[in-house]
Amino acid sequence: MPTFRAPRGTRDLLPDEAARFNRFARVARDLAERYGYRPIETPLFEQAAVFERGLGEVTDVVEKELFRIAPRTEDSEAWALRPEPTAGIVRAYVQHGMHTWPQPVRLSMMGPMFRYDRPQAGRYRQFWQFDVEAIGDPGPAIDAEIVELGLRFYAEVGVRGAEVLVNSIGDPVCRPAYLGVLTSYYRRRAIDLPPTDRDRLERNVLRLLDSKDPAMAAINAAAPRITDHLCDACAAHLAGLRAHLDALGVPYRMAPGLVRGLDYYTRTAFEFYVAGREGQQQAIGGGGRYDGLVELLGGRPTPGIGFGVGLDRVALVLDEQANVAGARADAVDSGDLGTLDVVVVSADPDDTVGRLRVATEIRAAGLHARADLGRRKLGRQLEAASRDGAHFAVILGDELATGHVQIRDLEAGTQRAVATSDLARELARAVKAHRHG
Ligand code: HAM
């Protein structure tokens, strides 16, 4: 048992997994660029009030899961690690006067989030999200753009069968009346409610629809639906979103019970699942419209919409799908493996300078190369190179005196001498031929 371990609910991303996350980042960055969402980074922690006010006091994320940072002195601010990126991004939008920029401001980020949740598969205390936000457009066309972008991300990282569930959760015009109807419905069943939900009934009744307690499933299934209580403007917005999704050929399912776990949402709410995996209650992403959030955080009234993709869950799904297909996860995800083209080895175990110098030259020519810097026999160096997955070894031997080295094809087992002056060019040609054929 090691003395120190990664904290409960966190995990180390070892090289194979970290390489996969790098690939997620490449796909995310490329998609964001293609769709015109510019990168933004915000601090990993904020004033706790940004989250308390932004996400809502009576939400799991704020009530139970916020990682609060103990104040250093009595009068210092209350800070918290970010449980999600939207509130921080909106805080930045207000702080930097982004309302003067051309609207909407399209932004994207990828990074770690922190929630003090009960850890289980797919639920971590530190997890990664790919997030996009479009602030300053009331929709509904941009709502469809965002939903389609989310589905495109799953397709491009290789998730099969991602689908989106869509709902509208109304706005300050129609929601109060609906909440009244919902409250009377639950009050009539108060004795059947689990204690947490009974407690929330009077404080934030919408959360009950999102309850994870199995005892709530039947009660929630029969609860009044918000889509039957939308005002004309919200109903028109939902119809507009559906028309745009239909026009784009984006398949979606209406989910009248979907309410999301954060309070800032208005109108459009959606979640991404993998077909057949819904039972695990694990969305691989989710988002929606937050037309009141900018104002709530001190800006002028400005509409916004976005989503967050849970990358740890995407990784789990890719593993599951690879297992079902009988393939190894890393074979399916082979784009994730770092390609090592060349290892430089030497017949003289003491000549580390020569190996390092040649490897440096090869890398300067743009190839992926590692010098074997161990003081061990040539045979051992070659074995290690093969184990590392290198395609070629460059062997420094006696011919170095006449300006020659050997290039060995580790898979074919063949080798030939080349002049050191031609080495980079020869290797580049060999590596290219190997990759393409
Ligand atoms: P969220 O639904 O709370 O929304 O989180 C988005 C996704 O992050 C979830 O669907 C899930 O895949 C992943 N996730 C959440 N909690 C965990 C956890 N403890 N462990 C692993 N993965 C997790 C938001 O965060 C909103 N900011 C999305 C948004 C952006 N809405 C508008 N703009």
Side-chain angles (χ1 to χ4, degrees):
M1 191 67 153
T3 314
F4 297 112
R5 306 178 67 85
R8 192 163 126 78
T10 73
R11 65 215 174 98
D12 300 307
L13 299 181
L14 299 182
D16 280 352
E17 192 70 358
R20 168 187 265 177
F21 272 61
N22 283 348
R23 186 170 69 88
F24 292 166
R26 276 198 302 278
V27 172
R29 193 166 50 236
D30 175 58
L31 270 180
E33 263 171 31
R34 271 191 271 156
Y35 283 69
Y37 287 72
R38 305 199 55 215
I40 184 167
E41 294 289 341
T42 63
L44 296 190
F45 62 98
E46 297 268 353
Q47 283 173 268
V50 169
F51 307 122
E52 289 158 354
R53 200 184 296 179
L55 317 187
E57 301 266 7
V58 190
T59 55
D60 277 350
V61 173
V62 169
E63 249 182 0
K64 301 190 214 151
E65 298 166 8
L66 210 53
F67 260 98
R68 293 175 186 277
I69 301 173
R72 316 271 311 178
T73 60
E74 236 156 61
D75 55 353
S76 74
E77 299 258 20
W79 310 102
L81 296 184
R82 63 181 186 197
E84 59 97 59
T86 313
I89 290 176
V90 168
R91 191 266 310 136
Y93 177 94
V94 174
Q95 179 180 339
H96 301 287
M98 292 188 210
H99 64 278
T100 62
W101 300 8
Q103 303 292 299
V105 178
R106 289 179 166 87
L107 300 168
S108 81
M109 81 146 72
M110 174 177 153
M113 309 296 153
F114 306 86
R115 295 185 193 179
Y116 196 76
D117 211 342
R118 201 154 46 83
Q120 50 186 283
R123 199 174 287 286
Y124 306 107
R125 289 182 173 170
Q126 176 174 339
F127 59 97
W128 273 259
Q129 280 190 6
F130 164 46
D131 178 270
V132 308
E133 310 290 348
I135 307 176
D137 185 326
I142 198 149
D143 303 31
E145 171 181 293
I146 290 254
V147 167
E148 192 272 336
L149 167 51
L151 287 171
R152 177 90 45 200
F153 176 81
Y154 298 113
E156 294 204 357
V157 294
V159 170
R160 275 168 292 145
E163 54 175 36
V164 63
L165 305 188
V166 175
N167 196 18
S168 171
I169 54 168
D171 69 4
V173 174
C174 50
R175 206 184 303 157
Y178 169 68
L179 296 183
V181 174
L182 200 60
T183 306
S184 348
Y185 171 81
Y186 285 117
R187 275 197 195 135
R188 287 199 298 277
R189 289 156 186 80
I191 47 164
D192 298 328
L193 301 180
T196 344
D197 290 300
R198 200 177 313 144
D199 174 49
R200 285 192 165 179
L201 169 54
E202 303 303 331
R203 298 192 296 145
N204 190 345
V205 65
L206 212 53
R207 291 277 68 76
L208 270 63
L209 283 174
D210 199 34
S211 172
K212 292 166 196 154
D213 196 310
M216 293 293 284
I219 302 177
N220 282 346
R225 297 178 159 192
I226 186 150
T227 33
D228 297 328
H229 295 81
L230 293 178
C231 58
D232 291 347
C234 285
H237 189 276
L238 178 58
L241 166 61
R242 300 185 64 170
H244 282 87
L245 289 175
D246 292 338
L248 290 177
V250 173
Y252 59 92
R253 272 200 289 147
M254 290 305 296
L258 190 158
V259 288
R260 308 280 296 131
L262 309 169
D263 279 357
Y264 53 57
Y265 291 109
T266 51
R267 297 192 170 167
T268 305
F270 56 90
E271 277 177 346
F272 297 104
Y273 287 87
V274 169
R277 222 173 165 275
E278 299 91 332
Q280 305 191 22
Q281 292 261 320
Q282 292 214 336
I284 52 173
R289 183 159 278 289
Y290 45 85
D291 293 344
L293 183 58
V294 176
E295 199 179 1
L296 205 59
L297 293 182
R300 49 187 80 184
T302 310
I305 181 165
F307 68 69
V309 167
L311 297 172
D312 307 78
R313 294 187 188 174
V314 169
L316 277 176
V317 167
L318 287 174
D319 282 342
E320 279 175 21
Q321 294 187 338
N323 283 336
V324 169
R328 272 183 39 214
D330 56 356
V332 171
D333 251 356
S334 58
D336 301 345
L337 299 175
T339 50
L340 177 63
D341 298 327
V342 182
V343 173
V344 183
V345 299
S346 173
D348 175 1
D350 291 327
D351 183 19
T352 47
V353 170
R355 279 175 268 169
L356 199 53
R357 193 166 41 76
V358 170
T360 304
E361 281 165 18
I362 298 171
R363 287 190 288 252
L367 294 170
H368 301 194
R370 172 173 81 66
D372 188 320
L373 296 175
R375 291 173 195 269
R376 51 187 175 176
K377 294 209 175 98
L378 180 58
R380 285 291 180 77
Q381 297 177 45
L382 285 169
E383 275 170 26
S386 296
R387 254 203 327 272
D388 265 6
H391 301 147
F392 298 97
V394 170
I395 305 172
L396 315 188
D398 294 341
E399 323 90 76
L400 204 54
T402 63
H404 287 80
V405 295
Q406 298 279 334
I407 296 180
R408 183 174 178 83
D409 183 325
L410 290 165
E411 281 172 24
T414 54
Q415 77 185 50
R416 67 198 161 92
V418 297
T420 46
S421 51
D422 292 336
L423 179 61
R425 200 167 352 112
E426 283 293 318
L427 270 177
R429 198 177 305 147
V431 165
K432 199 165 160 205
H434 192 280
R435 282 189 188 159
H436 294 103

